[in-house]
Amino acid sequence: MSGAVERTGAATAPALTLAPGDLHIWVLPRPWTHTDPAPLPVGELDDGERDRAAGLTRTGDRVRYLSAHVALRRLLSAYTGIEPQALRLGRDRCPCCGGPHGRPVLLGRGRETAQDWPQFSLSHSHQVAVVALAGATVGVDVQRVPPANAVRLCLPDLHPAEQAELAAVPGRRRPAAFARLWTRKEAYLKGLGTGLRRDLAADYLGTGAPGPARRGTPHRPAGWSVTDVPGPPGHATAAAVRTPHHYRTVVRTLTADCLHAEDATELIADSRARVHRVPQTAARRSQK
Amino acid sequence: MEQTVPLHLRGLPDPDVLRAAGIDVRTRIIERYICRQLEPYLHVPPAHRISTDRSLRSQGVDSITALALRRRLVTALGVDVPAADLLRDDSVTEVAALLAGLVTPAQDVPAARPAPAVPGAAPVSVPAARTAPAAETGHDTPAERPRLTAVARAVR
């Protein structure tokens, strides 16, 4: 964690903790529409988040953004014991240019470090918002399966081996395969903090297994564990963790009650988990 | 002198015609082209329009849509901006002005350069068989961005 959390809120013992090697994924599936749902506790957000939401043209986009950020703060609260509105969110430096648009981070008032706080990443698309938390640098991405035309236009920007893999997929299934690959790539780029500023062809995030049977298949980025995450139909989700010790992925669904309850910490802590263990061979392969 | 753009314009004019037009007209043509390209992706109702005063991101453009738009702009205009620049806070008009400033008869396409070194990132080995034009990184340096933004804003 690049900064410590400002402890001006009523700090309590965290309701949730991350074991070493854990990746926690929270999925918020909601039918965000063109009408406002029940009022959201937007008082928990900061001015920047409210301004950003107000600038969104479409009501559905605005409600999804607000819901995702309320969810993010409430989850971070459950993992830190700090009240949602007392958390200060900011941006790390961009590793490409040094500008203030790198990975989102928890900001502290001082320069003290707090290694025990979780790292996090947020993504939302169409009818899903996803929050990832880990003890190491993490990126997450969710993407609605795009139309075939958009896939065709985006394909030339990918790594040649990724292009070849997708070309081998029958046309009807190609958009879904592209969405899975794209979320792996964007999760990795978000983890790096570069986003789309990094050349999309520079890294291989395909599914080909290196080895004698697939001679020439490139390796995924070294030192990163990149995982497909099960989620709602019509969307793809993936997460990337910068760690050589990623043992398991815990996926939970965040219910609408967790957005609207006055104190959602207990609801969040009681959410049922689906656990996916990462095969050690896969973890080792990602380190090469 | 203010030049007019035909309202029935459905696509882009001949590249030579576009390049010969004044910067204001070029900006307006490209602005409309961007809006038309995005309408199907953003499911804009017939009675509504994409606002040229607002940013693409604020109107629902995500990373894949930005990348698809970038590809269309490369094909149609022969100029390139990084997809990341399409997702900044610049309005549609500012993006169009940026592109209009790059559409010149003596355009030099910048040579490709490798992705920047990023701590924690895998070493970059740009594939030789890449099929896309490699110019998308040509304008994405901190030193060049202010100049491009200045071009975009000067026309507004």
Side-chain angles (χ1 to χ4, degrees):
Chain A
M1 179 67 46
S2 60
V5 177
E6 187 179 15
R7 295 169 183 270
T8 55
T12 58
L16 289 167
T17 56
L18 286 156
D22 269 7
L23 167 64
H24 287 191
I25 303 282
W26 291 85
V27 181
L28 175 63
R30 296 278 288 157
W32 288 293
T33 64
H34 296 288
T35 56
D36 281 302
L40 290 160
V42 294
E44 296 177 5
L45 308 182
D46 64 27
D47 290 343
E49 290 168 304
R50 285 191 291 266
D51 289 347
R52 193 83 184 174
L56 297 174
T57 305
R58 303 186 300 191
T59 304
D61 290 349
R62 192 162 54 247
V63 176
R64 184 179 65 235
Y65 178 93
L66 290 170
S67 302
H69 280 253
V70 167
L72 171 65
R73 283 179 174 271
R74 290 189 163 203
L75 286 167
L76 288 172
S77 176
Y79 281 86
T80 61
I82 308 292
E83 291 178 358
Q85 61 272 24
L87 296 164
R88 293 180 58 220
L89 304 183
R91 290 278 188 169
D92 209 348
R93 291 281 171 191
C94 170
C96 292
C97 67
H101 46 255
R103 286 186 308 109
V105 291
L106 285 167
L107 296 177
R109 188 166 45 187
R111 302 289 299 169
E112 70 276 24
T113 57
Q115 300 294 335
D116 52 337
W117 296 117
Q119 309 254 1
F120 68 93
S121 182
L122 167 68
S123 179
H124 44 88
S125 173
H126 196 52
Q127 297 190 332
V128 184
V130 179
V131 177
L133 300 109
T137 301
V138 62
V140 73
D141 190 56
V142 60
Q143 177 67 51
R144 179 168 62 160
V145 175
N149 192 34
V151 172
R152 181 179 58 77
L153 289 167
C154 294
L155 273 177
D157 284 297
L158 301 179
H159 190 287
E162 295 171 339
Q163 293 183 43
E165 285 180 22
L166 289 173
V169 177
R172 195 164 48 87
R173 288 164 36 202
R174 194 171 299 149
F178 173 85
R180 289 191 294 273
L181 187 146
W182 179 263
T183 54
R184 288 194 296 271
K185 185 173 288 278
E186 194 155 22
Y188 170 64
L189 296 178
K190 288 174 75 174
L192 287 179
T194 66
L196 297 184
R197 280 172 286 278
R198 184 172 170 85
D199 186 348
L200 296 175
D203 307 289
Y204 172 75
L205 277 304
T207 54
R214 297 289 302 272
R215 190 177 298 276
T217 301
H219 292 283
R220 287 189 181 178
W224 288 81
S225 175
V226 185
T227 311
D228 286 346
V229 178
H235 297 72
T237 309
V241 191
R242 187 181 176 183
T243 175
H245 304 296
H246 176 203
Y247 300 124
R248 65 172 186 164
T249 301
V250 181
V251 183
R252 296 182 178 93
T253 299
L254 197 67
T255 63
D257 291 346
C258 296
L259 296 182
H260 299 290
E262 193 169 332
D263 184 357
T265 301
E266 196 171 328
L267 284 172
I268 290 171
D270 288 343
S271 299
R272 195 165 60 87
R274 290 172 285 151
V275 177
H276 302 268
R277 294 189 184 280
V278 176
Q280 289 305 293
T281 50
R284 280 195 297 271
R285 191 173 65 229
S286 71
Q287 300 167 39
K288 289 181 181 176
Chain B
M1 179 181 293
E2 180 68 16
Q3 301 175 56
T4 59
V5 179
L7 294 177
H8 64 275
L9 203 62
R10 291 294 176 205
L12 288 171
D14 181 87
D16 290 338
V17 174
L18 183 65
R19 287 172 184 145
I23 186 78
D24 287 350
V25 173
R26 259 185 281 156
T27 298
R28 290 174 59 197
I29 291 172
I30 294 170
E31 187 181 273
R32 289 184 191 179
Y33 180 76
I34 290 173
C35 292
R36 276 196 301 274
Q37 296 304 313
L38 289 177
E39 279 166 3
Y41 289 103
L42 301 182
H43 306 288
V44 177
H48 295 74
R49 285 185 167 183
I50 293 173
S51 169
T52 55
D53 295 331
R54 308 186 74 147
S55 71
L56 294 168
R57 182 182 280 282
S58 74
Q59 299 183 76
V61 173
D62 62 10
S63 55
I64 287 181
T65 308
L67 200 61
L69 173 63
R70 178 188 147 274
R71 174 63 54 193
R72 286 197 182 279
L73 292 169
V74 169
T75 304
L77 302 177
V79 298
D80 201 355
V81 291
D85 278 7
L86 298 176
L87 292 172
R88 291 163 65 181
D89 290 335
D90 296 332
S91 69
V92 174
T93 298
E94 288 171 328
V95 170
L98 161 64
L99 293 163
L102 296 173
V103 177
T104 57
Q107 182 186 338
D108 295 323
V109 178
R113 61 175 171 76
V118 174
V124 173
S125 56
V126 178
R130 189 172 177 195
T131 55
E136 71 272 22
T137 58
H139 305 293
D140 193 25
T141 67
E144 287 169 307
R145 274 197 201 119
R147 178 178 63 79
L148 297 176
T149 305
V151 168
R153 291 194 171 135
V155 184
R156 199 179 184 191

